[in-house]
Amino acid sequence: MADLVLSGPITAAPSRWRSAVARGGARLWAGGLIVALLLLIALFAPVIAPHDPAEQDLMSAQLPPAFMRGGEAAFPLGTDSLGRCVLSRLMYSARTAVAVALIASALAALIGIALGLIAGAFGGLSDQLVSRMIDVWMAFPPVLLSIVLAAVIGAGLTSVIAAIVVVDWTRFARIVRAETQAQLARDYAAAARVLGLTRAQALRLEILPNLIPLIVTLLAVEMGIAILVEVILSFVGISVTGDTASWGGMITEGRQIVYQAPWIMALPIAAVIVSVIGFNLFGDGLRAALDPVQRR
Amino acid sequence: MSAILEIDNLHVAIGAANVLRGVSLRVEAGEVRGLVGESGAGKSMVGRTIFGLLPSRAKITAGCVSFEGRDLLALPDRQRRDLLGRRIALIPQDPMTSLNPVRRIGAQMAAVLQLHLKLSKRAALARAAELLTEVAIRDPARVLTLYPHELSGGMRQRVLIATAFACDPSLVIADEPTTALDVTVQRQVLQLVERMRQRHGAAILFVTHDLGVVAKICRSMTVLHAGRVLEDGLTADVLVKPHHAYTRALLAATPRADRPADALKPVPPALIESLWAEAHRLDQLAAARPA
């Protein structure tokens, strides 16, 4: 067989990183920037905050932001009704938000992915068990469930995280289960089994890598949701206690004087909106960047 | 010559429907056997039984499959997995979907070598590059770093062929490997399979509906219809002197350059009907017989 034709030349682009980032586009950049900024602020809050977030200065209460009439340069975003620096409180609140977002989403993802993979890959009784559990779980309104949980476990950061994990693992489990089933039906999964891989090996080597773009997106969206839930729970007063600053708590405080000092409520709301949008954009951009096939 | 694969009186049913009705088949060491039949004849089911990929509702109701003297159907899962990919390999039908879209070619090829030959990652990649050279892929080191979607269908099929022969299997099942490719690439793929077979000394069970392909590369052939073997023998004998009316009809329905197009005759519907009637009669007989 000397006349065997050599394969054609390869035309694939050499640089992967660059093309991956290009696929992510503006969403990746904008989202990444917001998320990075949020993380930096949370990490370095004690260094960059102009004041102690709990430090009261009743002589300068309800000061407007510095760029408005009557503002003071010492308080760039004004003060609340107890004379505490709004900017410093926003920065310290970011710590709570980021901690909840990272820990709760990671735990929810871990549990959800594990159960979803098991249900999707093994089917039968395990699938029935997990699926019914998801159905029951999803029948409860999630915020209500979180409130009940937080009330039962007691207020505090741990209970907020627990509430989010307990409610939101279904989000991961449901989608991972469906996608696992879809991937297992593809030819390459059968081809992997034919190579002599065990079911667990095939799952780890073949199926899981195909789920990663999906999981990353879910994780980023989940972080946004976790921030929202934390805000809701601290708004109703069952999140972090006492002096610890949180966006939800700031909204509660600002609500009562919204006509006299609207910035006290508007600023934490803006912070929440920007960070949630940031996480969603980042997740969306990452999904596009991580998917080498560019299926969508 | 000794038989590598021996299928004896294999019956498979999916739910109430019988898909294989007593298939017997021998593949000798180093030979290429064609398994021919129209769609729905049960060709793929034979391969799926060997690989343990039957749908979960399917049941093997009778028969045995022995590979190198071992009963495949009775083998514990662990030993069976040890054979798969190492002693029995598959060239899948559709190269577009049979590679994992998110893993590099190198990682996918190396996985087999690492699993079965216990090679290190580095050694496995080096061996994979050699295999790619054997299937005449230009710049193998580069190809190993690519993702499947960066290769053409013909290139992917070459990768899959190289992977199938990676562990020097004694039997390769080619499940219509040319169906998804266009005619010019088909020829190259057939040449490749033949070359790899000679180099690695494997027997091949070539599942196809294309009698032209069978005539070209198979030493012996089996004709399947409705899950039954209608004809079995050396390709030269079967094609020149077919015994069964169905085989004759199939040959008459094969386009050939030396015959005018209007000489093509479809397989007579009456013949097909009589074959199915016969199959169902056998089903009833089997059902009436106490197990």
Side-chain angles (χ1 to χ4, degrees):
Chain A
M1 296 268 170
D3 56 342
L4 200 62
V5 185
L6 203 62
S7 66
I10 305 145
T11 49
S15 167
R16 295 179 185 292
W17 275 105
R18 210 171 299 159
S19 59
V21 171
R23 274 201 305 275
R27 291 164 297 176
L28 187 63
W29 286 110
L33 203 69
I34 296 173
V35 170
L37 212 61
L38 188 68
L39 291 179
L40 285 178
I41 290 174
L43 201 59
F44 294 110
V47 184
I48 52 175
H51 295 270
D52 185 318
E55 180 191 306
Q56 301 182 3
D57 183 356
L58 290 171
M59 298 306 290
S60 46
Q62 292 188 17
L63 277 180
F67 52 81
M68 281 166 70
R69 187 195 298 270
E72 275 182 30
F75 300 101
L77 292 179
T79 57
D80 64 8
S81 38
L82 291 175
R84 294 176 296 192
C85 173
V86 170
L87 179 62
S88 306
R89 288 185 70 74
L90 281 177
M91 285 174 166
Y92 273 87
S93 300
R95 311 192 97 182
T96 317
V98 165
V100 169
L102 293 182
I103 299 171
S105 323
L107 289 177
L110 217 62
I111 297 172
I113 291 166
L115 288 176
L117 271 180
I118 290 171
F122 295 93
L125 189 66
S126 55
D127 184 20
Q128 286 298 320
L129 220 62
V130 174
S131 297
R132 294 297 82 78
M133 206 146 81
I134 294 173
D135 288 345
V136 171
W137 237 262
M138 293 188 71
F140 289 99
V143 172
L144 194 67
L145 195 55
S146 318
I147 292 175
V148 170
L149 271 168
V152 169
I153 315 173
L157 208 56
T158 339
S159 62
V160 172
I161 289 170
I164 293 171
V165 171
V166 164
V167 171
D168 280 353
W169 67 272
T170 54
R171 216 182 287 277
F172 290 91
R174 207 163 45 107
I175 293 173
V176 166
R177 169 184 169 271
E179 189 64 16
T180 305
Q181 284 177 340
Q183 296 289 343
L184 277 174
R186 305 269 287 271
D187 283 349
Y188 77 82
R193 296 297 300 283
V194 165
L195 294 178
L197 266 64
T198 63
R199 208 188 277 254
Q201 280 173 323
L203 271 185
R204 187 169 57 82
L205 286 172
E206 307 286 336
I207 307 298
L208 205 53
N210 274 286
L211 299 182
I212 281 183
L214 188 78
I215 290 172
V216 166
T217 320
L218 274 178
L219 202 58
V221 170
E222 178 62 30
M223 287 184 187
I225 293 172
I227 288 182
L228 273 181
V229 171
E230 193 277 326
V231 167
I232 292 170
L233 291 184
S234 55
F235 179 74
V236 298
I238 46 178
S239 173
V240 287
T241 43
D243 301 332
T244 317
S246 69
W247 289 334
M250 292 176 74
I251 296 172
T252 315
E253 289 157 18
R255 197 173 59 92
Q256 291 144 10
I257 45 168
V258 68
Y259 295 111
Q260 296 84 43
W263 62 87
I264 299 178
M265 184 167 141
L267 286 169
I269 290 177
V272 173
I273 292 173
V274 169
S275 28
V276 171
I277 288 178
F279 275 114
N280 285 354
L281 283 177
F282 189 51
D284 203 25
L286 269 185
R287 204 241 328 120
L290 285 178
D291 193 349
V293 197
Q294 242 180 313
R295 270 166 282 185
R296 285 154 280 247
Chain B
M1 276 213 272
S2 61
I4 287 283
L5 177 75
E6 206 162 0
I7 300 177
D8 187 34
N9 193 31
L10 183 66
H11 285 73
V12 173
I14 298 182
N18 288 317
V19 284
L20 295 183
R21 299 174 165 94
V23 173
S24 299
L25 177 71
R26 266 168 77 92
V27 181
E28 311 282 342
E31 84 164 341
V32 185
R33 173 171 285 267
L35 182 58
V36 213
E38 56 188 45
S39 42
K43 313 186 288 285
S44 300
M45 282 300 151
V46 173
R48 281 170 161 256
T49 309
I50 295 168
F51 285 112
L53 284 179
L54 285 173
S56 53
R57 292 185 306 123
K59 244 186 82 191
I60 297 163
T61 45
C64 94
V65 177
S66 81
F67 173 76
E68 292 181 332
R70 284 198 273 180
D71 185 357
L72 265 190
L73 302 179
L75 220 54
D77 213 32
R78 197 190 174 83
Q79 289 175 36
R80 183 194 182 97
R81 276 201 311 273
D82 183 52
L83 287 180
L84 296 184
R86 192 172 61 87
R87 304 303 297 156
I88 312 176
L90 172 75
I91 302 175
Q93 179 166 15
D94 188 353
M96 306 310 276
T97 58
S98 296
L99 286 163
N100 190 336
V102 302
R103 298 184 70 210
R104 292 168 202 272
I105 301 292
Q108 300 193 45
M109 290 188 72
V112 196
L113 294 159
Q114 286 174 280
L115 180 72
H116 288 301
L117 304 184
K118 307 286 175 257
L119 294 183
S120 68
K121 176 108 192 184
R122 181 187 292 257
L125 282 173
R127 179 80 187 109
E130 284 172 30
L131 287 163
L132 287 185
T133 314
E134 284 183 30
V135 294
I137 276 184
R138 207 189 291 260
D139 203 355
R142 221 4 243 300
V143 171
L144 287 178
T145 67
L146 297 177
Y147 288 99
H149 72 277
E150 292 170 320
L151 301 177
S152 68
M155 290 270 275
R156 286 189 227 183
Q157 192 58 286
R158 286 177 193 230
V159 168
L160 288 166
I161 291 169
T163 313
F165 286 93
C167 302
D168 294 316
S170 57
L171 175 69
V172 172
I173 295 176
D175 186 4
E176 307 200 38
T178 56
T179 311
L181 303 170
D182 61 54
V183 182
T184 48
V185 182
Q186 272 186 18
R187 199 180 118 79
Q188 293 170 15
V189 166
L190 289 180
Q191 284 178 349
L192 270 179
V193 171
E194 180 58 23
R195 184 164 95 160
M196 293 299 273
R197 182 189 71 83
Q198 285 170 1
R199 186 177 290 222
H200 294 265
I204 295 181
L205 180 62
F206 207 100
V207 179
T208 182
H209 56 247
D210 190 339
L211 283 174
V213 168
V214 173
K216 215 171 286 168
I217 68 166
C218 297
R219 192 185 76 96
S220 57
M221 64 185 279
T222 302
V223 181
L224 215 58
H225 183 271
R228 289 189 303 149
V229 173
L230 296 187
E231 184 125 21
D232 185 307
L234 294 175
T235 310
D237 298 343
V238 173
L239 291 184
V240 175
K241 268 193 308 191
H243 288 290
H244 200 284
Y246 178 71
T247 317
R248 279 197 293 278
L250 265 191
L251 284 172
T254 305
R256 268 167 51 177
D258 60 355
R259 288 195 302 210
D262 55 4
L264 273 185
K265 288 188 193 65
V267 179
L271 175 60
I272 303 276
E273 269 166 36
S274 72
L275 283 171
W276 278 107
E278 203 178 325
H280 289 308
R281 201 169 47 76
L282 285 174
D283 286 353
Q284 279 162 3
L285 274 178
R289 204 182 306 128

